[in-house]
Amino acid sequence: MEMEFDIQITKKDLYDYQLHHAYTSPSGLFGTIVGCLFIVGFFNTGTPLYLIIGAFVILYFPWTLHIKAASQAQSPVFKKPLHYRLSQEGLEISTEEEKQLVSWESITKASSTGKTILLHTSKVNAFLFPKRELGERNGEFVQAISRYVSPEKVKIKTV
């Protein structure tokens, strides 16, 4: 099964990935829990400093991720759509200047957020496939991934 399509990655797509990555990691969850504990401390003691620290800890992470996504979106690679071709050999990504083939064995995990399908190549790197860009080919895309990536690595929510 071969499939080809173009994907335009936006700042919102990058932010969605950043949030997903941050809040599914131990450090992201820990930061949120610490922030919540400070806010609980405020309600228990009435100490305004606890509220300020708690709010800062909780809001700081999403704000910095937003800035990082905006910065990444300015990269020349995201200015134009990326062309993808899925085949038995792997996932081929091409721009006007460059072409890269990523073998299916290099995919460490296939997952999804509510808005994006992610093909991870490491703990911090992933190819993003926004569902709005895939449109009605979304199901076909998930089937192709499921065919080429070993089942224990595929954690895509179909809803």
Side-chain angles (χ1 to χ4, degrees):
M1 171 189 241
E2 221 175 86
M3 193 176 176
E4 287 192 52
F5 47 86
D6 294 325
I7 298 288
Q8 179 68 55
I9 303 292
T10 66
K11 177 176 71 172
K12 286 181 181 180
D13 300 324
L14 293 166
Y15 184 60
D16 179 58
Y17 170 69
Q18 298 282 352
L19 284 175
H20 173 76
H21 179 69
Y23 289 105
T24 56
S25 72
S27 64
L29 295 173
F30 179 75
T32 302
I33 291 168
V34 167
C36 290
L37 289 174
F38 271 104
I39 291 173
V40 168
F42 164 73
F43 286 113
N44 287 335
T45 66
T47 305
L49 184 60
Y50 287 166
L51 178 63
I52 293 166
I53 292 170
F56 178 78
V57 169
I58 289 173
L59 298 174
Y60 177 78
F61 217 24
W63 177 251
T64 58
L65 295 175
H66 179 76
I67 291 168
K68 184 177 177 182
S71 173
Q72 282 181 323
Q74 296 304 313
S75 167
V77 75
F78 297 122
K79 293 293 184 194
K80 295 182 182 169
L82 298 168
H83 184 76
Y84 290 93
R85 186 171 76 82
L86 284 70
S87 69
Q88 197 168 356
E89 291 78 44
L91 175 66
E92 183 180 278
I93 307 99
S94 53
T95 62
E96 291 175 354
E97 301 84 30
E98 195 177 327
K99 194 179 280 193
Q100 175 186 9
L101 180 65
V102 176
S103 71
W104 293 114
E105 292 78 31
S106 299
I107 303 298
T108 59
K109 182 170 97 174
S111 67
S112 63
T113 70
K115 299 175 182 176
T116 311
I117 295 173
L118 307 164
L119 294 182
H120 303 263
T121 54
S122 73
K123 287 190 182 283
V124 294
N125 294 317
F127 292 103
L128 283 61
F129 298 91
K131 293 176 181 177
R132 70 167 199 302
E133 288 281 311
L134 293 168
E136 55 193 43
R137 297 186 78 191
N138 200 0
E140 181 186 353
F141 180 66
V142 173
Q143 282 180 342
I145 292 168
S146 299
R147 173 174 290 148
Y148 297 127
V149 177
S150 49
E152 66 275 1
K153 294 179 180 179
V154 179
K155 312 276 189 247
I156 298 174
K157 297 175 197 147
T158 55
V159 178

